[in-house]
Amino acid sequence: MNARRRNRWLQAPRFGAGLIGLTALLACTPPPPRDSLVPQSRPEDLAPPPRSSESEQLAHYYAVLQQDLLTRGLLRRDGGGPDTPYDADKLVRNFEAIAFFDEYAGSGSGSAGGLSRWRGPVRLKAEFGPSVSKAQQFEDSRFLADYANRLARITGHPISTPTSRGNFYVIYAGKDDSDFVRARVQQILPGISAENLEIFANPPRSFYCLVLAGGPQNDPLSYTRGIALIRDEHPDLVRKSCVHEEVAQGLGLRNDSPRARPSIFNDDDEFALLTSHDEKLLTMLYDARLQPGMSAEQARPIARIIANELMGVPPEATPRAY
């Protein structure tokens, strides 16, 4: 797990810290925990305790960062436009770079892995540390539910935010919620390493948000469980950007590419939220003609057909997949 660094005014990294496969981890873990194992929350009539000085400093840091990026015309929310054209060729190239390589390994090094995605329904479950206010919990839950509905429409895959047990947990927590995060992550992933657990409980300032997702030992590329951490100290837009990117990466778009544009799967911070280009990548990822475990070589001709269809290229111009 590593953060993405950019040479900019605050020397800050991009929001996500990358996807980590859970192949070995899930091989030795019991079934997902019951919701009754969730640490008891504070009574609803009690306000969260005041933030510590460390948490206040983080909130100030991220607020200044967001304003700096906005001042420089970054964190766009328009989904792309005439200034960011792309065609079927670029879509295929970016899909391969983003869906077949791991972010922590870099898309330009090593060999590509297999296609990974969820076979079964994705049940996104928002959970909150004690420091998160009720008003913020309401907004975060609403935003995650809206995003889940959008992802379900894009992918054609069952993605929802049920009130019952989830399998992809999105934890919103601040610096002061370390004990809560540590306990909850251990309950969800009992086999998690001490190192990764500590990163979730006390992430460095350079780790804006984190995600893990993976499958069982006998089918590691068919995801069955995920967990993301979103810092409560983030201002509104960075917070939403973290949710968009980490959940999408947890669905199987696990890498970034400096050539992808318009895209949130890029280290340049140009776009804050999922773009039209990114929607097409997700549509491709969950197309029934592709399957988890496919190599980049196996998937490439099929991805070409799908990309041409999405971009409106005439069928006669589409090469046949064998």
Side-chain angles (χ1 to χ4, degrees), residues 189-221:
L189 301 173
I192 191 170
S193 69
E195 179 183 4
N196 281 347
L197 178 61
E198 188 59 25
I199 290 175
F200 267 93
N202 290 291
R205 187 176 69 172
S206 60
F207 283 33
Y208 292 12
C209 34
L210 315 172
V211 65
L212 280 113
Q217 187 176 31
N218 64 344
D219 194 9
L221 298 180

Side-chain angles (χ1 to χ4, degrees), residues 111-315:
S111 59
L115 187 77
S116 57
R117 72 183 191 199
W118 294 69
R119 285 192 189 272
V122 180
R123 300 185 297 275
L124 291 165
K125 185 73 181 301
E127 297 192 359
F128 301 94
S131 72
V132 185
S133 70
K134 291 298 177 182
Q136 186 63 60
Q137 290 184 30
F138 176 82
E139 289 300 318
D140 288 333
S141 297
R142 181 186 59 80
F143 184 78
L144 185 63
D146 289 345
Y147 189 42
N149 291 335
R150 179 182 176 186
L151 292 171
R153 290 194 302 270
I154 293 167
T155 62
H157 191 77
I159 302 173
S160 62
T161 52
T163 56
S164 58
R165 184 185 303 174
N167 55 15
F168 190 158
Y169 298 84
V170 182
I171 299 177
Y172 300 81
K175 176 71 174 177
D176 301 328
D177 298 325
S178 294
D179 291 342
F180 169 85
V181 173
R182 183 179 291 105
R184 191 66 187 111
V185 171
Q186 278 189 311
Q187 290 166 354
I188 297 169
L189 301 173
I192 191 170
S193 69
E195 179 183 4
N196 281 347
L197 178 61
E198 188 59 25
I199 290 175
F200 267 93
N202 290 291
R205 187 176 69 172
S206 60
F207 283 33
Y208 292 12
C209 34
L210 315 172
V211 65
L212 280 113
Q217 187 176 31
N218 64 344
D219 194 9
L221 298 180
S222 294
Y223 290 172
T224 57
R225 210 179 310 178
I227 182 169
L229 175 69
I230 311 297
R231 286 185 182 270
D232 186 47
E233 288 87 2
H234 284 317
D236 185 60
L237 185 53
V238 173
R239 192 185 196 98
K240 291 177 178 177
S241 182
C242 273
V243 173
H244 268 222
E245 182 171 5
E246 299 312 299
V247 171
Q249 286 199 315
L251 292 179
L253 294 179
R254 59 185 189 256
N255 193 27
D256 283 331
S257 171
R259 301 172 68 188
R261 185 173 187 258
S263 182
I264 60 174
F265 304 109
N266 191 312
D267 285 339
D268 61 7
D269 295 326
E270 182 179 10
F271 290 90
L273 305 177
L274 209 67
T275 67
S276 62
H277 167 277
D278 299 332
E279 288 186 342
K280 290 181 177 65
L281 295 184
L282 284 164
T283 300
M284 294 173 69
L285 179 64
Y286 280 86
D287 190 287
R289 287 167 284 187
L290 296 175
Q291 292 296 321
M294 276 186 168
S295 67
E297 291 74 19
Q298 290 172 321
R300 191 175 297 127
I302 304 172
R304 163 65 61 184
I305 293 172
I306 302 169
N308 283 351
E309 292 172 354
L310 291 173
M311 298 302 297
V313 177

Side-chain angles (χ1 to χ4, degrees), residues 98-109:
I98 292 169
F100 287 92
F101 292 86
D102 290 322
E103 182 182 16
Y104 58 84
S107 60
S109 61

